[in-house]
Amino acid sequence: MKTPIAASVSANVASENVIKYINENLVQAGETATLVSVEDTGAFYKIITDYQGSKIPVYATKDGNMVFLSSPTLLNETQAAPVVTPTVIPKNTTSTAELFVMAFCPYGVQAEQTMKSVVDVIGSKADIKVRFIASVEGTTVDSVQSLHGATEAQEDLRQLCIMKYYPDKYWSYLMDVDQNCYPNARDATALDACWKAAAQNQSIDVSKIDTCSKGQEGLDMMKLEEAAANKYGVSGSPTLIINGAQYNGARTSAGFQNGICSGFVTPPTECGQVINATDVAAPQGGCGP
C-alpha cells in the first residue's frame, strides 16, 4: 500500500509560511524578506522573495512541510536516483581547511560557529582558517567591496588584522562578534562599539587593529583574499576548501571534522574524537551569486 499523500495547502498559505520561516530563522536581525510572487510548478510552489534588494527563489512542497533553498528534483517510482560523485579531498601531511565567508552572511556565521567546535578538538593539528570573499576596486580600504556593504568590508579587514597579530585569540573574538555584534551589522555606530568591546574582552589592542585595518596593511591582505577566492572559483559564503578541493558534505561539526580529517595522510588521534554528534546541519543556502 502506498503512503497517503499529505493534503496540499494553497499557494498563498505556503508563501506566507515560507516568508515567516525565513524572517524568523535565516535573515539578519533587523532585516526582513518580503514576498514578490508565488508560482505553482506542479510538484512545488516556487516562491520569489526579496531580501536586501535581491530576488531569491525558494521552493516549498505543496503540503507546506518542506522548504528548499535550491531547486529540488523529484524522483518517481520508475526513476533511478542520480549518482552524485563526492569531491575527493587530496591527502597531505597537514590538512588545510579554508572557510570562505562574508563576515555578516547569516550562512557564513552559522558555518563559523560549526567550525569552532572542530577547532576546539583538532586544534593546531590541522591548519584551519577563515578567509573572506570581497573585491578590491581601488587603492584604499574604502574601495573594498563586500556583499553586505561597508560595515561588512570593515569587519573583514579587522578580522584579517586580528588573525595576523593575535592568531591565538581570533576564534574567541570571532565567536563574540558573531553572537553580539552580528545583529548590529547594519548599524555602523553600534558595530564600532561592539567590535571594540569584543577585542578588549580578548586583550586585543584596538588601536593596533584599527590602524592595520584602515591602512595599506589591511588592503594588501584583502588583495590576497581576493586572489585566493579567484583561484578556487569561490563566490558564495560559506565555501569550505580542504587541501585545495571544495568540500560538499553536511555543514555539521562532524561533517567538517570528517572532511578535514580525510585530508591527512595519517590522521591525528583527535580525528577519532566525537564532537557535537547531535547537532543539526545548517541550511545549505549561501550569500552570493
Side-chain angles (χ1 to χ4, degrees), residues 84-92 95-96 240-249 258-264:
V84 178
T85 304
T87 300
V88 176
I89 303 297
K91 294 185 181 296
N92 290 329
S95 187
T96 299
L240 177 58
I241 304 293
I242 303 175
N243 291 349
Q246 183 169 329
Y247 167 83
N248 293 314
N258 290 337
I260 293 169
C261 287
S262 72
F264 285 98

Side-chain angles (χ1 to χ4, degrees), residues 230-274:
N230 289 339
K231 172 184 175 182
Y232 296 126
V234 170
S235 60
S237 167
T239 299
L240 177 58
I241 304 293
I242 303 175
N243 291 349
Q246 183 169 329
Y247 167 83
N248 293 314
R251 292 182 192 169
T252 61
S253 56
F256 283 175
Q257 179 191 28
N258 290 337
I260 293 169
C261 287
S262 72
F264 285 98
V265 173
T266 304
T269 56
E270 288 81 356
C271 286
Q273 183 173 337
V274 177

